[in-house]
Amino acid sequence: MIFNSTLYDEYYRILNGSTQVNSTEINAMPVPDLESIQEMGRKLMKSKDMSENNCNMILKGYCV
């Protein structure tokens, strides 16, 4: 869900200059705490909408 958001897509492209993903770079990306990720996952599963727009809406509620 997090990596299907515009925020993380843009962040990754800015840092790496491409969309080629490697595990070291993914592991270095900041992510919300586990409890927040679980809450986001529950909201996503409840909505049954896996679109980028819905992921953006859910993630927006957790960004400071």
Side-chain angles (χ1 to χ4, degrees):
M1 192 233 97
I2 293 171
F3 296 115
N4 191 38
S5 68
T6 303
L7 175 68
Y8 275 83
D9 178 62
E10 289 176 356
Y11 178 85
Y12 191 84
R13 287 173 193 247
I14 289 168
L15 288 181
N16 300 299
S18 73
T19 57
Q20 295 296 327
V21 178
N22 91 38
S23 62
T24 303
E25 293 162 341
I26 293 292
N27 288 333
M29 290 178 75
V31 294
D33 61 82
L34 180 59
E35 186 177 313
S36 296
I37 292 171
Q38 290 171 335
E39 286 178 30
M40 287 185 265
R42 284 189 286 274
K43 288 179 180 181
L44 187 64
M45 289 186 324
K46 186 177 180 180
S47 73
K48 298 179 181 174
D49 177 3
M50 304 291 180
S51 70
E52 184 176 349
N53 286 336
N54 192 42
C55 291
N56 289 341
M57 287 178 35
I58 292 171
L59 183 61
K60 189 176 184 177
Y62 293 86
C63 294
V64 177

